[in-house]
Amino acid sequence: MARVKMLLVEDDRAIAELVTYHFKREDYEVRHTPDGEEALMLAKEAAPDIVLLDWMVEGISGIEVCRRLRRMPETANVPIIMLTARGEEEDRVRGLETGADDYVTKPFSPRELVARVGAVLRRVRPALAGEALSYADIEMDTVGHKVRRGGEFIPLGPTEFRLLKHFLEHPGHVFSRERLLDSVWGHDSDIESRTVDVHIRRLRKAINKDNKPDIIRTVRSAGYALDSGN
């Protein structure tokens, strides 16, 4: 799964370092700036997946940054969480009405902040909260049950979808037919192990059409793996 790209707009160095540390530990890609104007430029250059935005930052205010982010086509749908010491109800309402998706007041628990960000991502952009898988040029939406390769939609049957999902969750790992039967068909399945070969062939035919490189590697006497060879 692709890393979540976060834009952190915070002018308190200690808080910025604390937040960056905790989110990088959760495998987020964090870009930080203390300046509102620079935040808008960074967001325009490469739209983040989520914005953590302090109200009081250098340059233009956080609330104005929020307003402009909502007006920019690149970031109109990017979730924004206000992170600020201004905890009065009027300020919270103003922030939410301006376009923020959530509001966290200082001081805060880093663990709670990570959980709040995860909750917003699940609500607003579920594909970034663990419901999308990708490897090489293959992308899978596990909620919508859709698969694309190189941006092109790939129709798959239910079994081939489950098989590809298992490979995408464990890229590079070699699985025997028996392991695949247990993981994809279930422990109680009475399907013969050679049936796996049939579905592997179907999956290959679907995802490798138009002479695309075969990224399902056959490992002699061992099984199969998702491997681009890079």
Side-chain angles (χ1 to χ4, degrees):
M1 183 180 66
R3 297 173 70 193
V4 178
K5 294 177 290 185
M6 170 182 286
L7 176 58
L8 171 62
V9 190
E10 170 61 68
D11 64 352
D12 185 312
R13 179 179 293 182
I15 292 178
E17 290 177 353
L18 178 69
V19 171
T20 298
Y21 168 78
H22 281 276
F23 279 96
K24 283 189 173 181
R25 193 170 67 172
E26 296 295 323
D27 204 31
Y28 283 66
E29 181 182 319
V30 183
R31 286 189 302 167
H32 167 247
T33 176
D35 183 87
E37 291 282 4
E38 185 179 26
L40 292 171
M41 288 190 293
L42 289 172
K44 192 175 182 76
E45 288 172 3
D49 297 314
I50 191 162
V51 177
L52 270 185
L53 177 61
D54 187 15
W55 189 303
M56 303 297 292
V57 292
E58 298 173 11
I60 61 177
S61 70
I63 201 76
E64 181 60 24
V65 172
C66 182
R67 184 178 291 111
R68 295 189 192 184
L69 287 172
R70 284 287 170 255
R71 291 175 181 170
M72 290 164 50
E74 300 90 343
T75 55
N77 297 315
V78 172
I80 299 171
I81 296 181
M82 299 293 292
L83 184 63
T84 178
R86 301 178 65 141
E88 293 80 6
E89 181 181 3
E90 182 178 343
D91 293 325
R92 292 199 302 271
V93 171
R94 185 182 173 197
L96 294 170
E97 288 180 344
T98 302
D101 296 280
D102 202 355
Y103 198 104
V104 177
T105 57
K106 301 174 183 176
F108 57 86
S109 157
R111 288 181 60 194
E112 181 184 355
L113 181 61
V114 171
R116 295 279 283 274
V117 167
V120 168
L121 286 172
R122 284 192 296 274
R123 185 173 73 245
V124 180
R125 304 184 68 176
L128 290 167
E131 295 168 359
L133 298 167
S134 65
Y135 180 78
D137 58 349
I138 294 179
E139 299 174 333
M140 172 180 282
D141 174 2
T142 63
V143 175
H145 275 243
K146 296 178 181 178
V147 174
R148 295 184 184 278
R149 183 167 190 185
E152 181 182 352
F153 175 71
I154 305 293
L156 291 179
T159 301
E160 286 71 42
F161 185 91
R162 293 197 307 273
L163 191 58
L164 179 59
K165 180 175 182 288
H166 183 72
F167 281 131
L168 287 169
E169 288 171 340
H170 309 89
H173 291 215
V174 179
F175 293 99
S176 67
R177 295 179 181 86
E178 290 72 21
R179 285 283 304 279
L180 289 171
L181 279 174
D182 283 346
S183 301
V184 178
W185 280 265
H187 294 280
D188 299 327
S189 174
D190 57 0
I191 296 174
E192 294 182 2
S193 63
R194 288 292 173 181
T195 303
V196 174
D197 299 339
V198 175
H199 288 281
I200 290 287
R201 285 198 296 271
R202 290 180 183 174
L203 178 59
R204 276 180 164 146
K205 183 178 180 180
I207 65 175
N208 297 336
K209 70 176 185 176
D210 299 328
N211 296 316
K212 289 185 173 63
D214 186 4
I215 65 170
I216 298 178
R217 178 166 57 99
T218 300
V219 182
R220 191 170 182 177
S221 302
Y224 300 98
L226 190 66
D227 188 348
S228 66
N230 294 328

